[in-house]
Amino acid sequence: MRSLVGFLLVLAAATSGLYLLTAWLPGGPRAGSGSLKFPSDLEELQELADFLQYYSKEHHAYVILLFCSAYLYKQTFAIPGSSFLNILAGAVFGPWIGLLLCSTLTSVGATCCYGLSNIFGKNFVTYYFPDKVTMLQRKVEENRHSLFFFLLFLRLLPMTPNWFLNLASPVLNIHVTQFFFSVLIGLTPYNFICVQTGSVLSQISSLENILSWSNLFKMLAIAMMALIPGTLIKKFSQKHLNLDKSEQKSHLLNGRKCN
């Protein structure tokens, strides 16, 4: 009961802080603040990107603060939908600053989720997900000699959603340092794909722009980037990790899970 109360207090404080950031925009158009909500589809994403691009002209630092706060909120409390924020980062901040922000925030937010689970959620995870925890615990112990690379494998070709891995890692006795850097490295390719997609989409205003050689080349490069990490980690896992072939096949068929 004490753990639940503590978690709810943290959630309430974080929610209140994020709400105040969106409600009190310094010098900004109050009517536009209605666009400041987590996007649930591409139309809402485009509307939010347009508003932030406009507002960023005079309040760039505040837009970065808003984005970082929203991203950390989603990651910390294991709320699905970070892919939309990755695309938004590419549209608003550009491909490279957007990638830097998303990779950093993914790692920090996931580590905050790890911390909350370690303090408040261990009993919750083991009680409600006993089979998943048992399966992951067995695989972690079997690959303890190459644990960091096994964690990379889980991020690139996940056998379980990233949000659950964030919650379960304290239960599996995964050290926070290994956890942090496995998230930073393992999810950078995924973040790169989303951010680059957002950067390309922000430049498309007509059918002619879609079919330009520049955008076609960028989209081809994004597609190649999506294939390379999975291929490399698959080859490494076959040589160094203790995984059943049937499991590896199922990971590839399942594809990328959401953050």
Side-chain angles (χ1 to χ4, degrees):
M1 183 65 180
R2 184 177 301 175
S3 295
L4 178 61
V5 172
F7 171 78
L8 291 177
L9 287 175
V10 173
L11 176 61
T15 303
S16 299
L18 185 60
Y19 172 77
L20 291 177
L21 281 175
T22 61
W24 296 345
L25 298 179
R30 289 293 184 266
S33 63
S35 301
L36 294 177
K37 61 181 181 180
F38 289 117
S40 58
D41 55 42
L42 289 177
E43 183 178 351
E44 291 182 356
L45 179 66
Q46 185 62 56
E47 180 183 352
L48 180 58
D50 291 341
F51 172 75
L52 291 179
Q53 286 171 337
Y54 166 77
Y55 189 69
S56 181
K57 294 177 181 178
E58 294 185 0
H59 302 279
H60 186 68
Y62 200 81
V63 169
I64 293 178
L65 175 62
L66 279 173
F67 180 82
C68 291
S69 300
Y71 204 110
L72 289 176
Y73 182 87
K74 267 188 172 288
Q75 286 289 309
T76 298
F77 297 105
I79 301 173
S82 293
S83 57
F84 277 120
L85 294 185
N86 291 343
I87 296 173
L88 180 66
V92 176
F93 304 112
W96 303 115
I97 294 179
L99 177 61
L100 177 63
L101 281 173
C102 289
S103 294
T104 302
L105 293 170
T106 298
S107 306
V108 174
T111 305
C112 291
C113 183
Y114 174 107
L116 281 180
S117 178
N118 190 39
I119 297 172
F120 301 117
K122 283 185 175 181
N123 293 333
F124 171 86
V125 173
T126 55
Y127 181 80
Y128 286 100
F129 306 99
D131 295 337
K132 285 188 176 182
V133 170
T134 301
M135 182 270 293
L136 274 177
Q137 184 69 66
R138 177 171 58 85
K139 287 300 178 184
V140 165
E141 294 305 323
E142 289 175 354
N143 294 280
R144 184 68 69 175
H145 61 288
S146 299
L147 182 57
F148 183 74
F149 294 101
F150 177 66
L151 294 176
L152 289 182
F153 173 85
L154 292 181
R155 297 296 178 176
L156 287 166
L157 298 173
M159 68 172 67
T160 188
N162 283 304
W163 64 266
F164 181 75
L165 187 56
N166 296 344
L167 291 173
S169 289
V171 181
L172 303 176
N173 295 317
I174 295 172
H175 194 273
V176 67
T177 302
Q178 284 187 315
F179 175 86
F180 177 89
F181 285 104
S182 68
V183 175
L184 179 65
I185 298 172
L187 291 183
T188 290
Y190 174 70
N191 291 337
F192 173 84
I193 295 165
C194 294
V195 170
Q196 290 289 335
T197 301
S199 177
V200 171
L201 291 177
S202 68
Q203 300 171 14
I204 294 175
S205 57
S206 67
L207 183 61
E208 293 180 358
N209 287 342
I210 296 177
L211 299 178
S212 69
W213 284 108
S214 175
N215 283 331
L216 287 175
F217 177 78
K218 288 180 180 178
M219 286 186 280
L220 177 61
I222 293 170
M224 293 298 295
M225 187 64 184
L227 295 174
I228 292 173
T231 302
L232 293 177
I233 199 67
K234 179 187 175 185
K235 290 183 177 180
F236 180 88
S237 66
Q238 290 173 340
K239 293 181 180 179
H240 300 282
L241 298 181
N242 189 0
L243 295 169
D244 298 334
K245 289 184 178 181
S246 59
E247 286 180 338
Q248 293 187 39
K249 183 178 179 180
S250 68
H251 304 335
L252 294 175
L253 291 175
N254 288 337
R256 165 62 59 192
K257 303 291 194 299
C258 292
N259 286 358

